Amino acid sequence: MTSTWVEPSNTATALLLLGRGSDPATERGVECPGDLPAPSDPDLVARARAAKAALGDKVFVLGHHYQRDEVIQFADVTGDSFKLAREAAARPDAEFIVFCGVHFMAESADILTSDTQRVVLPDLAAGCSMADMAALPQVENAWDVLTELGIAAQTVPVTYMNSSADIKGFVGRNGGVVCTSSNAKRALEWAYQQGEKVLFLPDQHLGRNTAVLEMGFSLDDCVLYDPHKPGGGLTPEQLRDARMILWRGHCSVHGRFTLDSVNDVRERVPGVNVLVHPECRHEVVNAADLVGSTEYIIRTIEAAPAGSAWAIGTELNLVRRLALAHPDKQIMFLDRAVCYCSTMNRIDLPHLVWALEELVAGRVVNQITVDADTAHHARVALDQMLALPGA
């Protein structure tokens, strides 16, 4: 039976991105159910400190690298999505995990933590557009296409960490693995030991860059599956011949960097080092000097010599934070136009204060819960990632 996917209207999507309306089946979440403090409240910092102190060891606050500085200052640990989820799991005595990130990250934390811990996302509208580009009904439709062509049995699904729990669960049910931007090559090497093809979800750029630049594939080995077109917009022959079936998804921040951005900064800043995330487009990654995960970017800048110049292709909050932390280096955003992650930035100080004060009052708000069956199969795929050589 082929599932049906209904694309939301432009008006509905716009309202969801503004945090209004409801769509629990997507990363965009729902509107905040409570009254937020005013952003102009001069006591917000003091209120956050007081609430966190009142909760003590019962609360553990996680802050993703792309969060605002006003939020990051209250994080007990900062990091990328998987590091934060593992940090949460390593704090079994913390009753509340307040995840300052986006929805799929909080889901991963819920999957990896114990049943006695509760994961809170300060704003349910903090989602991930990339994760939304691969909804479970769409992926099930694609798997039906591969099954009808007789190639599903030889195809291993691999999903990037930046995907919903539903997609991680699908991958776990079908013998696949989760990957991060740091271990994508190891995950693909494992996958090709299990089968002849890979269905890579949901970020086409990470999949293509890893396959071509790290594993020696050609661009012709890769095809792009568009879930909005019959058969993914591909012929049966294209699907049968492909080694890497890339999902048509991307990061709205990293996808904005272009080859022109690289050429422009090289003209403006002689000797500049271009450092980008592997979620960037293939031609951008090809033209960069260095490519790596968020943690790799941070380590590279920390180790860079004083006086060196760096143009960084990743989210602006992190680039600004690196520039402030390393005034002896010239650090700039790769693109002339600034670009924050709009959904990550939905978590601001008023939302954090509201969530913490509600916990102090004994009310658990915005709890993220993954159903047991999905969590089990997602954990299978996550555990397979942890079992990869070098993990």
Side-chain angles (χ1 to χ4, degrees), residues 12-13 17 46 70 84 134 147 154-155 177 200 204 224 234 247 300 323 383:
T13 299
L17 290 172
E70 67 189 55
L84 294 178
T147 300
Q154 55 194 273
T155 302
V177 65
F200 193 89
Q204 59 170 304
L224 189 60
L234 299 166
W247 193 261
T300 299
D383 285 345

PDB file of all heavy atoms in Angstrom, residues 12-13 17 46 70 84 134 147 154-155 177 200 204 224 234 247 300 323 383:
ATOM      1  N   ALA A  12      -0.243  28.002   5.395  1.00  0.00           N
ATOM      2  CA  ALA A  12      -0.065  27.196   6.606  1.00  0.00           C
ATOM      3  C   ALA A  12       1.396  27.115   7.002  1.00  0.00           C
ATOM      4  O   ALA A  12       1.748  27.217   8.179  1.00  0.00           O
ATOM      5  CB  ALA A  12      -0.634  25.792   6.375  1.00  0.00           C
ATOM      6  N   THR A  13       2.270  26.931   6.004  1.00  0.00           N
ATOM      7  CA  THR A  13       3.711  26.856   6.293  1.00  0.00           C
ATOM      8  C   THR A  13       4.212  28.154   6.895  1.00  0.00           C
ATOM      9  O   THR A  13       4.982  28.160   7.857  1.00  0.00           O
ATOM     10  CB  THR A  13       4.484  26.531   5.010  1.00  0.00           C
ATOM     11  OG1 THR A  13       4.042  25.269   4.522  1.00  0.00           O
ATOM     12  CG2 THR A  13       5.986  26.473   5.286  1.00  0.00           C
ATOM     13  N   LEU A  17       5.978  28.645  10.608  1.00  0.00           N
ATOM     14  CA  LEU A  17       7.309  29.204  10.807  1.00  0.00           C
ATOM     15  C   LEU A  17       7.276  30.393  11.757  1.00  0.00           C
ATOM     16  O   LEU A  17       8.272  30.742  12.374  1.00  0.00           O
ATOM     17  CB  LEU A  17       7.917  29.612   9.460  1.00  0.00           C
ATOM     18  CG  LEU A  17       8.304  28.437   8.551  1.00  0.00           C
ATOM     19  CD1 LEU A  17       8.710  28.934   7.184  1.00  0.00           C
ATOM     20  CD2 LEU A  17       9.426  27.618   9.172  1.00  0.00           C
ATOM     21  N   ALA A  46      18.448  37.650  35.453  1.00  0.00           N
ATOM     22  CA  ALA A  46      18.340  37.329  36.878  1.00  0.00           C
ATOM     23  C   ALA A  46      17.286  36.255  37.114  1.00  0.00           C
ATOM     24  O   ALA A  46      17.473  35.354  37.952  1.00  0.00           O
ATOM     25  CB  ALA A  46      18.000  38.587  37.672  1.00  0.00           C
ATOM     26  N   GLU A  70      22.583  34.813  24.325  1.00  0.00           N
ATOM     27  CA  GLU A  70      21.779  35.039  25.523  1.00  0.00           C
ATOM     28  C   GLU A  70      21.280  33.730  26.125  1.00  0.00           C
ATOM     29  O   GLU A  70      21.010  33.655  27.331  1.00  0.00           O
ATOM     30  CB  GLU A  70      20.581  35.940  25.197  1.00  0.00           C
ATOM     31  CG  GLU A  70      19.551  35.298  24.267  1.00  0.00           C
ATOM     32  CD  GLU A  70      18.487  36.278  23.798  1.00  0.00           C
ATOM     33  OE1 GLU A  70      18.848  37.321  23.237  1.00  0.00           O
ATOM     34  OE2 GLU A  70      17.308  35.973  24.007  1.00  0.00           O
ATOM     35  N   LEU A  84      25.288  16.488  22.490  1.00  0.00           N
ATOM     36  CA  LEU A  84      24.393  16.950  23.543  1.00  0.00           C
ATOM     37  C   LEU A  84      23.449  15.843  24.004  1.00  0.00           C
ATOM     38  O   LEU A  84      23.188  15.698  25.205  1.00  0.00           O
ATOM     39  CB  LEU A  84      23.594  18.160  23.054  1.00  0.00           C
ATOM     40  CG  LEU A  84      24.416  19.418  22.787  1.00  0.00           C
ATOM     41  CD1 LEU A  84      23.524  20.543  22.256  1.00  0.00           C
ATOM     42  CD2 LEU A  84      25.145  19.886  24.043  1.00  0.00           C
ATOM     43  N   ALA A 134      12.131  15.388   4.827  1.00  0.00           N
ATOM     44  CA  ALA A 134      11.963  13.933   4.725  1.00  0.00           C
ATOM     45  C   ALA A 134      10.940  13.502   5.769  1.00  0.00           C
ATOM     46  O   ALA A 134      11.288  13.216   6.911  1.00  0.00           O
ATOM     47  CB  ALA A 134      13.287  13.203   4.934  1.00  0.00           C
ATOM     48  N   THR A 147      11.058  -1.088  -3.727  1.00  0.00           N
ATOM     49  CA  THR A 147      10.579  -2.471  -3.588  1.00  0.00           C
ATOM     50  C   THR A 147       9.971  -2.969  -4.893  1.00  0.00           C
ATOM     51  O   THR A 147      10.242  -4.098  -5.337  1.00  0.00           O
ATOM     52  CB  THR A 147       9.555  -2.555  -2.445  1.00  0.00           C
ATOM     53  OG1 THR A 147      10.171  -2.141  -1.222  1.00  0.00           O
ATOM     54  CG2 THR A 147       9.028  -3.979  -2.287  1.00  0.00           C
ATOM     55  N   GLN A 154      18.577  -4.730  -1.693  1.00  0.00           N
ATOM     56  CA  GLN A 154      20.007  -4.467  -1.809  1.00  0.00           C
ATOM     57  C   GLN A 154      20.363  -3.019  -1.460  1.00  0.00           C
ATOM     58  O   GLN A 154      21.483  -2.576  -1.658  1.00  0.00           O
ATOM     59  CB  GLN A 154      20.483  -4.783  -3.227  1.00  0.00           C
ATOM     60  CG  GLN A 154      19.721  -4.066  -4.327  1.00  0.00           C
ATOM     61  CD  GLN A 154      19.977  -4.649  -5.696  1.00  0.00           C
ATOM     62  OE1 GLN A 154      20.930  -4.261  -6.353  1.00  0.00           O
ATOM     63  NE2 GLN A 154      19.149  -5.578  -6.127  1.00  0.00           N
ATOM     64  N   THR A 155      19.363  -2.293  -0.919  1.00  0.00           N
ATOM     65  CA  THR A 155      19.556  -0.884  -0.565  1.00  0.00           C
ATOM     66  C   THR A 155      19.570  -0.729   0.946  1.00  0.00           C
ATOM     67  O   THR A 155      18.689  -1.231   1.641  1.00  0.00           O
ATOM     68  CB  THR A 155      18.428  -0.019  -1.158  1.00  0.00           C
ATOM     69  OG1 THR A 155      18.401  -0.184  -2.581  1.00  0.00           O
ATOM     70  CG2 THR A 155      18.647   1.456  -0.833  1.00  0.00           C
ATOM     71  N   VAL A 177      21.521   2.725   9.332  1.00  0.00           N
ATOM     72  CA  VAL A 177      22.355   3.342  10.355  1.00  0.00           C
ATOM     73  C   VAL A 177      22.176   4.855  10.324  1.00  0.00           C
ATOM     74  O   VAL A 177      21.858   5.430   9.272  1.00  0.00           O
ATOM     75  CB  VAL A 177      23.845   2.966  10.121  1.00  0.00           C
ATOM     76  CG1 VAL A 177      24.366   3.546   8.815  1.00  0.00           C
ATOM     77  CG2 VAL A 177      24.732   3.405  11.282  1.00  0.00           C
ATOM     78  N   PHE A 200      20.239   7.779   1.011  1.00  0.00           N
ATOM     79  CA  PHE A 200      20.803   8.702   1.992  1.00  0.00           C
ATOM     80  C   PHE A 200      19.804   9.811   2.287  1.00  0.00           C
ATOM     81  O   PHE A 200      19.399  10.562   1.408  1.00  0.00           O
ATOM     82  CB  PHE A 200      22.113   9.305   1.477  1.00  0.00           C
ATOM     83  CG  PHE A 200      22.911  10.005   2.543  1.00  0.00           C
ATOM     84  CD1 PHE A 200      23.839   9.306   3.308  1.00  0.00           C
ATOM     85  CD2 PHE A 200      22.715  11.351   2.808  1.00  0.00           C
ATOM     86  CE1 PHE A 200      24.563   9.945   4.308  1.00  0.00           C
ATOM     87  CE2 PHE A 200      23.431  12.003   3.802  1.00  0.00           C
ATOM     88  CZ  PHE A 200      24.362  11.299   4.558  1.00  0.00           C
ATOM     89  N   GLN A 204      21.063  15.923   0.865  1.00  0.00           N
ATOM     90  CA  GLN A 204      21.740  15.515  -0.362  1.00  0.00           C
ATOM     91  C   GLN A 204      23.202  15.938  -0.388  1.00  0.00           C
ATOM     92  O   GLN A 204      24.067  15.204  -0.914  1.00  0.00           O
ATOM     93  CB  GLN A 204      21.032  16.110  -1.582  1.00  0.00           C
ATOM     94  CG  GLN A 204      20.969  17.639  -1.599  1.00  0.00           C
ATOM     95  CD  GLN A 204      20.490  18.181  -2.937  1.00  0.00           C
ATOM     96  OE1 GLN A 204      21.075  17.892  -3.972  1.00  0.00           O
ATOM     97  NE2 GLN A 204      19.418  18.961  -2.895  1.00  0.00           N
ATOM     98  N   LEU A 224      19.403  11.978  -7.611  1.00  0.00           N
ATOM     99  CA  LEU A 224      18.675  12.801  -6.652  1.00  0.00           C
ATOM    100  C   LEU A 224      17.197  12.424  -6.678  1.00  0.00           C
ATOM    101  O   LEU A 224      16.527  12.596  -7.702  1.00  0.00           O
ATOM    102  CB  LEU A 224      18.866  14.279  -6.976  1.00  0.00           C
ATOM    103  CG  LEU A 224      18.335  15.289  -5.950  1.00  0.00           C
ATOM    104  CD1 LEU A 224      19.025  15.099  -4.603  1.00  0.00           C
ATOM    105  CD2 LEU A 224      18.537  16.707  -6.458  1.00  0.00           C
ATOM    106  N   LEU A 234      12.819  10.029 -11.270  1.00  0.00           N
ATOM    107  CA  LEU A 234      13.890   9.228 -11.859  1.00  0.00           C
ATOM    108  C   LEU A 234      13.304   8.049 -12.626  1.00  0.00           C
ATOM    109  O   LEU A 234      12.226   7.550 -12.298  1.00  0.00           O
ATOM    110  CB  LEU A 234      14.820   8.710 -10.763  1.00  0.00           C
ATOM    111  CG  LEU A 234      15.536   9.775  -9.929  1.00  0.00           C
ATOM    112  CD1 LEU A 234      16.136   9.145  -8.673  1.00  0.00           C
ATOM    113  CD2 LEU A 234      16.617  10.464 -10.743  1.00  0.00           C
ATOM    114  N   TRP A 247      18.455  11.897  -1.145  1.00  0.00           N
ATOM    115  CA  TRP A 247      17.153  12.523  -0.925  1.00  0.00           C
ATOM    116  C   TRP A 247      17.254  14.010  -1.247  1.00  0.00           C
ATOM    117  O   TRP A 247      18.270  14.648  -0.954  1.00  0.00           O
ATOM    118  CB  TRP A 247      16.736  12.337   0.528  1.00  0.00           C
ATOM    119  CG  TRP A 247      15.299  12.658   0.799  1.00  0.00           C
ATOM    120  CD1 TRP A 247      14.799  13.805   1.324  1.00  0.00           C
ATOM    121  CD2 TRP A 247      14.189  11.794   0.564  1.00  0.00           C
ATOM    122  NE1 TRP A 247      13.438  13.719   1.434  1.00  0.00           N
ATOM    123  CE2 TRP A 247      13.037  12.489   0.973  1.00  0.00           C
ATOM    124  CE3 TRP A 247      14.056  10.501   0.045  1.00  0.00           C
ATOM    125  CZ2 TRP A 247      11.755  11.933   0.885  1.00  0.00           C
ATOM    126  CZ3 TRP A 247      12.790   9.942  -0.046  1.00  0.00           C
ATOM    127  CH2 TRP A 247      11.656  10.659   0.366  1.00  0.00           C
ATOM    128  N   THR A 300      39.577  23.736  14.491  1.00  0.00           N
ATOM    129  CA  THR A 300      40.475  24.335  13.499  1.00  0.00           C
ATOM    130  C   THR A 300      40.766  25.785  13.831  1.00  0.00           C
ATOM    131  O   THR A 300      41.923  26.236  13.758  1.00  0.00           O
ATOM    132  CB  THR A 300      39.860  24.223  12.086  1.00  0.00           C
ATOM    133  OG1 THR A 300      39.691  22.837  11.762  1.00  0.00           O
ATOM    134  CG2 THR A 300      40.751  24.878  11.045  1.00  0.00           C
ATOM    135  N   ALA A 323      34.570  34.520  16.388  1.00  0.00           N
ATOM    136  CA  ALA A 323      35.269  35.781  16.148  1.00  0.00           C
ATOM    137  C   ALA A 323      35.532  36.518  17.463  1.00  0.00           C
ATOM    138  O   ALA A 323      36.615  37.081  17.680  1.00  0.00           O
ATOM    139  CB  ALA A 323      34.466  36.653  15.195  1.00  0.00           C
ATOM    140  N   ASP A 383      22.510   2.855  17.786  1.00  0.00           N
ATOM    141  CA  ASP A 383      23.490   1.914  18.334  1.00  0.00           C
ATOM    142  C   ASP A 383      24.398   1.360  17.242  1.00  0.00           C
ATOM    143  O   ASP A 383      25.586   1.103  17.478  1.00  0.00           O
ATOM    144  CB  ASP A 383      22.781   0.771  19.051  1.00  0.00           C
ATOM    145  CG  ASP A 383      22.219   1.183  20.405  1.00  0.00           C
ATOM    146  OD1 ASP A 383      22.622   2.249  20.911  1.00  0.00           O
ATOM    147  OD2 ASP A 383      21.370   0.449  20.947  1.00  0.00           O
TER     148      ASP A 383
END
